[in-house]
Amino acid sequence: MLEIKNLHVELEEEDKAILKGVDLSVEAGRVHAIMGPNGSGKSTLSYVLSGRDGYEVTDGSAMLEGDDILGMEPEERAAAGLFLAFQYPVEIPGVGNMTFMRTALNAQRKARGEDEISASDFLKLVRAKATELQIDADMLKRPVNVGFSGGEKKRNEILQMAILEPKMCILDETDSGLDVDAMKLVAEGVNALRSQGRAFLVITHYQRLLDHIKPDVVHIMVDGRIVKSGGPELAQEVEKNGYADIMAEVA
Ligand code: ADP
Ligand code: MG
Ligand code: MG
């Protein structure tokens, strides 16, 4: 599903290298987790994959189902099936949450040559998905994320994901700032979307989310590279010993 090879990325403004040769292959139907200390480049990886401005790819490649995504516009990447749930979801005053999601879904359909969803079908869809995620109708009517609590913002990200049905879902620290109940709800939302044709890249600083979203593979990113990969036991090891052992091993 996603094949990243030798990805090198610099900050455009400062010529500062952030990613220093990332290799990562995520198969369809699988959940991979990336853990790593603060500042190791996890968010940068998710931003570069989704096409955020300000980063320069100096070497390497990233393919989604065999197509080079680094040359695509962000909306083309989304239409190709890529989705990023933000670490810090932005508030968009003046844009209704429902309007936002319907516009995104219709843009995706248009890019794929499909018909727009009717207003009534969309309403049915969004209500059904919102109920599953325990998102109340009031949140759907409000401007995107405006006045939402941390947990509501994260659940709203998962709602967008449930509606757009992407193939490759990247979740950047979706657990940060969530209490245990909200985290379980988010994890259940993700688990409900797991399927043969869909892959996940779950970025997290802590192991607790991975107790609920059981990953197939865990990677450790340190200083812009994936330095170790393994099964879920690797997350347990990090939880117990921190990153010091792994960093010493790598050094
Ligand atoms: P993580 O998500 O693993 O905590 P980030 O990808 O956010 O790491 O950051 C990696 C490194 O790149 C950090 O040293 C961070 O300060 C730096 N960095 C990322 N984006 C920017 C930016 N836009 N301007 C300045 N420094 C940045
Ligand atoms: Mg960080
Ligand atoms: Mg981050």
Side-chain angles (χ1 to χ4, degrees):
M1 181 64 72
L2 180 68
E3 180 92 58
I4 302 171
K5 283 189 182 153
N6 191 36
L7 188 63
H8 285 71
V9 171
E10 289 181 5
L11 284 177
E12 238 164 35
E13 297 227 319
E14 300 176 33
D15 287 342
K16 183 184 163 196
I18 309 287
L19 299 184
K20 303 171 182 175
V22 173
D23 289 294
L24 177 66
S25 183
V26 183
E27 310 82 4
R30 307 262 272 177
V31 177
H32 285 226
I34 298 186
M35 303 180 76
N38 254 326
S40 57
K42 305 180 299 297
S43 290
T44 300
L45 177 64
S46 65
Y47 292 152
V48 169
L49 291 175
S50 49
R52 183 177 177 166
D53 284 338
Y55 300 96
E56 189 191 349
V57 175
T58 54
D59 202 0
S61 61
M63 316 282 268
L64 184 69
E65 291 191 307
D67 294 322
D68 170 16
I69 51 168
L70 298 179
M72 295 182 190
E73 295 299 323
E75 62 273 23
E76 292 173 329
R77 300 178 199 210
L82 189 77
F83 180 90
L84 170 63
F86 289 109
Q87 181 172 358
Y88 306 107
V90 286
E91 298 186 3
I92 315 179
V95 178
N97 205 18
M98 290 264 260
T99 309
F100 175 74
M101 284 187 280
R102 186 151 65 100
T103 306
L105 181 60
N106 280 331
Q108 186 185 64
R109 289 186 169 218
K110 196 175 166 198
R112 293 174 180 172
E114 297 165 6
D115 287 339
E116 285 199 352
I117 189 167
S118 72
S120 65
D121 282 350
F122 180 75
L123 203 60
K124 271 183 224 152
L125 175 71
V126 78
R127 278 189 182 146
K129 304 283 187 192
T131 304
E132 280 171 30
L133 287 163
Q134 298 179 28
I135 286 173
D136 62 52
D138 186 48
M139 260 171 73
L140 299 174
K141 288 183 202 137
R142 277 158 37 193
V144 181
N145 292 327
V146 175
F148 289 22
S149 72
E152 287 171 340
K153 284 181 183 176
K154 298 300 172 96
R155 271 185 282 151
N156 202 40
E157 297 280 289
I158 305 301
L159 176 63
Q160 291 165 23
M161 192 165 81
I163 284 170
L164 292 173
E165 301 192 308
K167 291 179 188 164
M168 182 70 230
C169 307
I170 305 173
L171 280 72
D172 188 9
E173 296 204 28
T174 299
D175 49 339
S176 69
L178 295 189
D179 61 34
V180 176
D181 290 338
M183 191 187 61
K184 276 188 190 159
L185 210 55
V186 163
E188 280 165 20
V190 170
N191 288 333
L193 285 167
R194 287 172 88 149
S195 77
Q196 283 304 314
R198 181 173 295 136
F200 288 86
L201 191 57
V202 179
I203 297 171
T204 180
H205 196 58
Y206 300 105
Q207 183 247 348
R208 54 174 204 168
L209 181 68
L210 304 181
D211 287 339
H212 302 285
I213 302 176
K214 295 197 170 55
D216 299 295
V217 185
V218 175
H219 308 276
I220 309 295
M221 183 179 268
V222 176
D223 191 23
R225 281 180 306 121
I226 287 168
V227 297
K228 194 167 182 177
S229 301
E233 74 284 351
L234 194 51
Q236 316 272 344
E237 191 188 316
V238 166
E239 188 70 8
K240 230 172 87 201
N241 305 326
Y243 295 106
D245 288 4
I246 290 167
M247 284 160 88
E249 201 180 300
V250 171

